[in-house]
Amino acid sequence: MNSIPGVDSRTTNLPGTRLLSTALLVLLLPACGGDDEAVIPPPAPVSVPFTNGATTTANPVAYWNKIATDTINVPATPSAGSPEERRPVAAVDLATVHTAIYDAVVAITGTHVPFAVTIAGDASAASLEAATAAAAYGVLKGLFPNRTAQYQAAYDSYVNTLPSGASRTRGLEVGAEVATRTLALRANDGRSTQVTYVPGTAPGKFRGTNPIGTFNPFIKPFALTSASQFRAPPPPALDSAAYAADFEEVRTMGGTTAPQRTADQLDAARAHTENPATYVTRNYRNFLMDSRSLAENARLAAMLWVTQADATIACFESKYHYEFWRPLSAIALADTDGNAATAQDTTWAPVAPTPNHPEYPSAHMCVNGSSQALLKAYFNTPEISFTFSSTVTGGTRQYASPSALLEEIVLARVHGGMHFRTANVEGGVLGTKVADWVVANHFKARN
């Protein structure tokens, strides 16, 4: 088998590598375009500055992204407060903030089609900075009214730094109006749905009690027509050779004892176990920290978090549709799966914590697969280099391209012992479909 660019040659003899190779061909295809289009010289490679999520008021979109993230990540209050305070969902709540910012900004610039809200009246002379702040603040106040400590003082201070006058006043009006109408559109979004989950007992069924994200499939998508629009295909049958290959790979490479696993592979596995609500939000904020205009950063942020939100919703719809078991259960109960090629091991344990929700497809690959496909479409190039940090390892990992990150995550979730390879591959495919849909249908330039 030929080697895959960017994939460690040590992995090419592992079970399921052919599946990874085939799926990467899908994931690395351009998110838009066709054979009949005119040949255009490729754009220059993109190098994303690493700020580790740090922001300043000089970059309003990233600044309000950080404030919103900190607001969302205040510990939930399950029995009190707004629906968002009881059940925050980082990708969904950030998408609400950033679509409001985007719609407020394009109301002023007139360069792109609004996502959801079109305001009345002329806003061309309004302050972009004021509109951005008012849109973010208005949404946060509506979603998280009891968390004012996270955003009220920041808003007051930020607005006071802007030059007073008609431009600021109009910008604040535009942002406030868009925030109010955005909140109305996202009200009762489905996250309050009560789900009583009963763990499965049949071979192949998820065994977790009180799992997380059971309500995610009921949240109203932003761009998709339904949560099931891009439902993943079924996982491999328990008696199949594909399942046996997935099983053996995670059994030998993902346990607490795995002689073939390298130190770097374990470091990668651990790096990706940081809580996505901080890991994903902090690291993707780096993409908003370059010299693009406020309007372009507003567009990119809205595209990113709408894509992540819908990928999350779609992913959990597939998870709870199939309710597939985790390796932790599968390996201990291999004597029940009807597959002669799988060996039971009741002492096996994953080297990293296993998330408490069904295994298939992988949420890490749904979200990162969608985000990286979106970034390739936005920048119109697969040559994007960037760096991610992890609070779990305290270090950073560098990626020469979006494909390099996705290749690493596919392996990291196996080497961490929490996923089968197929779940990662199909999660990436689902995420790419979500990104393609967002790019094809929203955030377009005005004719």
Side-chain angles (χ1 to χ4, degrees):
M1 180 183 297
N2 294 330
S3 63
I4 307 169
V7 175
D8 192 323
S9 61
R10 292 168 293 189
T11 68
T12 57
N13 63 344
L14 294 175
T17 300
R18 182 172 300 172
L19 178 60
L20 173 60
S21 305
T22 301
L24 284 174
L25 291 176
V26 176
L27 294 177
L28 303 182
L29 288 174
C32 53
D35 294 337
D36 295 333
E37 294 181 0
V39 176
I40 301 174
V46 175
S47 180
V48 178
F50 176 67
T51 68
N52 204 23
T55 65
T56 68
T57 54
N59 190 321
V61 175
Y63 177 74
W64 286 103
N65 175 273
K66 174 67 164 57
I67 291 172
T69 298
D70 291 345
T71 302
I72 294 163
N73 283 324
V74 169
T77 52
S79 59
S82 69
E84 291 74 25
E85 289 167 341
R86 294 194 300 271
R87 288 180 166 178
V89 182
V92 174
D93 298 328
L94 282 172
T96 305
V97 170
H98 282 292
T99 55
I101 291 175
Y102 168 80
D103 281 350
V105 167
V106 299
I108 298 169
T109 64
T111 55
H112 289 78
V113 178
F115 179 76
V117 175
T118 301
I119 69 166
D122 179 32
S124 59
S127 162
L128 290 170
E129 292 79 6
T132 297
Y137 169 75
V139 169
L140 291 174
K141 191 172 183 179
L143 298 180
F144 303 100
N146 298 304
R147 300 183 183 182
T148 53
Q150 301 299 318
Y151 54 79
Q152 186 65 59
Y155 173 74
D156 294 339
S157 174
Y158 183 87
V159 170
N160 286 336
T161 67
L162 301 177
S164 61
S167 179
R168 184 178 75 174
T169 299
R170 182 58 175 144
L172 295 177
E173 291 173 348
V174 169
E177 178 182 346
V178 171
T180 298
R181 293 174 59 184
T182 298
L183 289 167
L185 291 171
R186 294 301 302 177
N188 303 313
D189 68 357
R191 74 179 69 204
S192 296
T193 302
Q194 296 300 315
V195 179
T196 301
Y197 187 79
V198 179
T201 57
K205 288 301 180 181
F206 178 63
R207 297 308 207 265
T209 58
N210 299 316
I212 64 173
T214 54
F215 58 88
N216 285 350
F218 300 95
I219 298 177
K220 179 173 63 177
F222 286 79
L224 300 186
T225 60
S226 71
S228 62
Q229 182 178 350
F230 296 122
R231 180 182 290 167
L238 295 183
D239 60 357
S240 67
Y243 175 74
D246 277 358
F247 178 102
E248 187 63 12
E249 182 183 25
V250 72
R251 187 187 71 81
T252 57
M253 296 294 292
T256 53
T257 301
Q260 298 179 60
R261 186 179 57 220
T262 68
D264 184 66
Q265 288 170 337
L266 179 57
D267 184 79
R270 294 183 62 241
H272 293 287
T273 62
E274 183 186 341
N275 183 348
T278 58
Y279 181 78
V280 172
T281 52
R282 181 183 67 253
N283 283 307
Y284 281 99
R285 190 180 306 127
N286 289 324
F287 290 88
L288 309 178
M289 293 296 293
D290 73 354
S291 58
R292 286 186 307 276
S293 68
L294 186 158
E296 273 305 307
N297 276 328
R299 178 171 175 259
L300 176 56
M303 294 176 78
L304 261 176
W305 272 281
V306 163
T307 299
Q308 288 189 12
D310 279 6
T312 299
I313 293 166
C315 195
F316 274 80
E317 193 282 332
S318 287
K319 280 180 177 290
Y320 283 104
H321 178 78
Y322 294 114
E323 298 181 292
F324 200 59
W325 61 6
R326 292 277 182 173
L328 179 62
S329 300
I331 295 171
L333 299 171
D335 60 325
T336 69
D337 65 18
N339 194 322
T342 62
Q344 181 187 29
D345 183 351
T346 57
T347 67
W348 186 92
V351 70
T354 292
N356 188 23
H357 48 76
E359 189 268 346
Y360 179 88
S362 161
H364 271 64
M365 280 298 290
C366 289
V367 171
N368 287 286
S370 69
S371 300
Q372 295 301 319
L374 184 281
L375 290 167
K376 287 188 292 182
Y378 177 86
F379 290 112
N380 193 31
T381 179
E383 297 185 61
I384 309 169
S385 59
F386 53 95
T387 299
F388 277 9
S389 66
S390 172
T391 59
V392 174
T393 62
T396 60
R397 298 188 67 84
Q398 298 178 345
Y399 305 101
S401 66
S403 62
L405 171 66
L406 300 183
E407 290 161 6
E408 178 176 278
I409 295 174
V410 167
L411 297 174
R413 304 308 280 174
V414 173
H415 296 160
M418 70 283 286
H419 271 298
F420 299 110
R421 180 183 289 260
T422 300
N424 295 305
V425 172
E426 291 298 342
V429 172
L430 183 156
T432 299
K433 290 178 179 178
V434 172
D436 289 352
W437 181 264
V438 171
V439 170
N441 293 282
H442 298 281
F443 304 105
K444 294 180 176 295
R446 288 190 182 276
N447 294 328

